[in-house]
Amino acid sequence: MLPSTVERVPRSTDEDVNRRILLQTRARLRQCVNDPDRIDPRLRELDEEWDIERVLETNASIAAFAGVALAATGDRRWLALPALVTAFLFQHAVQGWCPPLPLLRRAGFRTSREIELERVALKVLRGDFRDSLPDGPALGAWRQADRALEAAERS
């Protein structure tokens, strides 16, 4: 059975890398708990963040175009490059893995779901969903950030 669209990249990523990405997200959320003025700028940053799919598609397009251009101006054997890239894209679409994926994940590129979880958690912290997080400073920054992330995962 094929993994779901949401699960395929994290399932194909080393668990330590997935954990590091989650810890970095939690750290950013904790910063926003301690300084709520950071929430709106961070939300704007998230609007500009490229997810792993966009990065893979861009890299594949560049490599395929380069192969076609090199074949057109030189040796036809360069057509193997777009063929290889196409095979890797198919593999990624089906399995959620392709050769550049581990490098890009280690570089910190996240899935659209991972980005969206941070976005929703920030909105929870900002108060957009008042029922999702208890009021007041009774919870420490770490716990508030974790609760916001939990609320985002439930949405």
Side-chain angles (χ1 to χ4, degrees), residues 84-99:
L84 189 62
V85 167
T86 303
F88 288 160
L89 278 178
F90 179 75
Q91 181 181 18
H92 177 69
V94 173
Q95 295 177 336
W97 185 88
C98 61

Side-chain angles (χ1 to χ4, degrees), residues 11 23 37 40 52 62 71 145 152:
R11 283 175 109 186
L23 291 174
D37 291 337
D40 288 335
I52 190 79
I62 291 168

Side-chain angles (χ1 to χ4, degrees), residues 82-155:
L84 189 62
V85 167
T86 303
F88 288 160
L89 278 178
F90 179 75
Q91 181 181 18
H92 177 69
V94 173
Q95 295 177 336
W97 185 88
C98 61
L101 186 86
L103 297 172
L104 293 171
R105 290 290 280 171
R106 286 188 194 287
F109 286 99
R110 302 187 292 169
T111 66
S112 58
R113 175 159 171 74
E114 290 165 336
I115 295 167
E116 190 59 23
L117 283 174
E118 182 176 349
R119 181 187 325 281
V120 173
L122 287 166
K123 289 179 179 183
V124 168
L125 290 175
R126 187 171 65 182
D128 293 11
F129 313 106
R130 295 265 180 232
D131 297 335
S132 299
L133 190 67
D135 289 332
L139 294 176
W142 286 57
R143 188 64 189 133
Q144 273 188 293
D146 288 347
R147 290 286 301 266
L149 197 53
E150 291 166 10
E153 288 171 341
R154 286 191 305 270
S155 66

Side-chain angles (χ1 to χ4, degrees), residues 55-68:
V55 173
L56 284 169
E57 291 164 359
T58 302
N59 287 336
S61 298
I62 291 168
F65 181 73
V68 169

